[in-house]
């Protein structure tokens, strides 16, 4: 697979040229942002940051739930040549302050004034509010206006910023537990991220006609790569969830074709189905579980590469129309690629979704190695993390530890060459995770 090395901003430029005024980012209660508007906002933020004195290589933190403004700020930071360090807003404020200080962040994009007050003691030069206004902080709109005015005075601003930036430069600083188990901060270059999303079309196709709902934390690599960066590469519009309470209704409204969710969400839906079944009369329960047994048997035949016998196939067709389709319709009825990520998926749960005609696509990734393994869309295997991504090699040591070699590996832990050398050896990432090839 030939990959043309480029920066994430260059990928956004490609998307804007290809998709123009088509919708890119959709936040409830606000007008959709087109690809052209997305790139314009990123330009304004990048130049605004540079006019504040924030330059190439400076670390800029983000503390926000996943929302439209996060995406704009994230790409704006990187377009400026700075390094974007997303935090988990759910962490205790004292831990976040310590992380901001350890990372050496010179500025923080923060979601709202309430979050700002909790982190005021962090030693940063600039606070930038994604929403709202507060004393001692710059509003995102004001930052964009600064950038807009500078671009009007000198339209060559972005050209100069782009000329400074190389794909080998760091783009993201991930807060991670680290392959060694100790909390670490991992630097990942533009080249590593773009290499990863360039693999996407071959294994997880998406495009302008697709739709998804983003709700996972943006500090997590699965959300960042699959639901922020890959949609730019493929031109897929992303809708942001307003809250987890509203997520089921939002999914039914958006009717996603691709959805990334953690196992706990798939477990919750399964539990809801079971709870509803317990309230039904005994004959209805018997009918459902009988149909499920047929579906599980059919799945075993398909996995073995054998035809499903007619005695199973005929009643299963009726059961699918009367029972299983109703479960799938909770996701809008268009879901083509239901993906499970951010944690391991139980085999029994995977088999249930496979049986009802909605096989979950599980993969494996880690901060230090990107998304490295994914189940084939046409033949996912419950209990397996799938097959290596293009240009990705796997090895297993005698004790079962999995090693990865790919162009998506991280550069190293921030200010920790010793631990970096322990996990990156001879071009191989020692993941610390156990596995085997089947």
């Amino acid at each position: 697979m030939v990959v043309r090395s480029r920066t994430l901003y260059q990928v956004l430029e490609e998307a804007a040229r290809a998709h123009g005024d088509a919708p890119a980012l959709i936040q409830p209660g606000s007008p959709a942002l087109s690809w052209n508007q997305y790139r314009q906002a990123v330009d304004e933020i990048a130049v605004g940051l540079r006019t504040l004195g924030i330059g190439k290589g400076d670390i800029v933190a983000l503390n926000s739930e996943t929302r439209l403004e996060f995406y704009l700020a994230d790409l704006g930071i990187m377009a400026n040549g700075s390094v974007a360090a997303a935090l988990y807003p759910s962490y205790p404020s004292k831990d976040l302050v310590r992380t901001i200080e350890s990372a050496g962040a010179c500025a923080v994009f923060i979601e709202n004034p309430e979050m700002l007050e909790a982190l005021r003691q962090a030693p940063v030069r600039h606070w930038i509010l994604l929403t709202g206004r507060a004393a001692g902080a710059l509003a995102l709109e004001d930052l964009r206006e600064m950038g807009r005015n500078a671009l009007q005075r000198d339209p060559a601003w972005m050209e100069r910023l782009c000329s400074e930036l190389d794909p080998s430069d760091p783009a993201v600083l991930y807060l991670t537990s680290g392959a060694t188990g100790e909390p670490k901060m991992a630097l990942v270059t533009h080249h590593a991220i773009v290499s990863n999303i360039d693999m996407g079309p071959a294994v997880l196709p998406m495009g302008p006609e697709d739709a998804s709902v983003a709700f996972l934390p943006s500090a997590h690599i699965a959300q960042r790569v699959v639901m922020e960066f890959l949609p730019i590469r493929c031109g897929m519009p992303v809708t942001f969830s307003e809250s987890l309470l509203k997520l089921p209704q939002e999914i039914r409204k958006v009717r996603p074709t691709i959805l990334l969710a953690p196992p706990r969400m798939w477990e919750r839906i399964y539990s809801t189905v079971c709870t509803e079944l317990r309230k039904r009369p005994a004959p209805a329960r018997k009918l459902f579980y009988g149909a499920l047994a047929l579906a599980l048997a059919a799945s075993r035949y398909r996995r073995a590469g054998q035809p499903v016998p007619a005695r199973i196939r005929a009643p299963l067709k009726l059961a699918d129309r009367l029972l299983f389709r109703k479960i799938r319709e909770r996701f809008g009825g268009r879901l083509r690629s239901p993906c499970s990520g951010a944690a391991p998926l139980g085999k029994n749960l995977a088999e249930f979704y496979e049986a009802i005609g909605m096989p979950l696509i599980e993969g494996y990734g880690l901060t230090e190695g990107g998304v490295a393994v994914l189940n084939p869309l046409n033949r996912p295997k419950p209990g397996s993390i799938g097959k290596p991504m293009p240009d990705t090699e796997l090895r297993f040591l005698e004790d079962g530890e999995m090693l990865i070699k790919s162009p998506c590996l991280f550069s190293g832990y921030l200010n920790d060459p010793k631990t970096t050398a322990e996990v990156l050896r001879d071009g191989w990432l020692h993941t610390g995770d156990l596995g085997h090839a089947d």
Side-chain angles (χ1 to χ4, degrees), residues 196-212 226-227 230-231 233-237 256-259 334-339 361 374-378 389-390:
N196 213 177
I197 62 176
D198 274 340
M199 299 170 181
V203 294
L204 188 62
M206 60 176 71
E209 70 285 353
D210 286 300
S212 192
V226 180
M227 293 307 303
L230 183 56
R233 168 65 174 78
C234 299
M236 183 185 76
T257 54
I258 296 167
L259 187 67
R334 292 199 307 162
L335 191 54
R336 185 183 73 246
S337 301
C339 303
I361 310 303
L374 191 70
N375 263 281
L377 294 187
N378 60 349
M389 297 282 275

Side-chain angles (χ1 to χ4, degrees), residues 93-105:
S93 55
K94 60 179 176 57
D95 292 346
L96 293 174
V97 169
R98 187 167 62 246
T99 299
I100 291 168
E101 187 172 8
S102 300

Side-chain angles (χ1 to χ4, degrees), residues 318-353:
L318 179 63
D320 184 79
R321 190 170 72 248
L322 296 178
L323 302 171
F324 302 148
R325 185 184 296 175
K326 292 180 180 178
I327 301 175
R328 297 197 300 270
E329 284 173 352
R330 297 179 187 213
F331 298 90
R334 292 199 307 162
L335 191 54
R336 185 183 73 246
S337 301
C339 303
S340 184
L345 179 70
K347 184 180 179 183
N348 291 343
L349 190 66
E351 288 176 343
F352 168 79
Y353 280 99

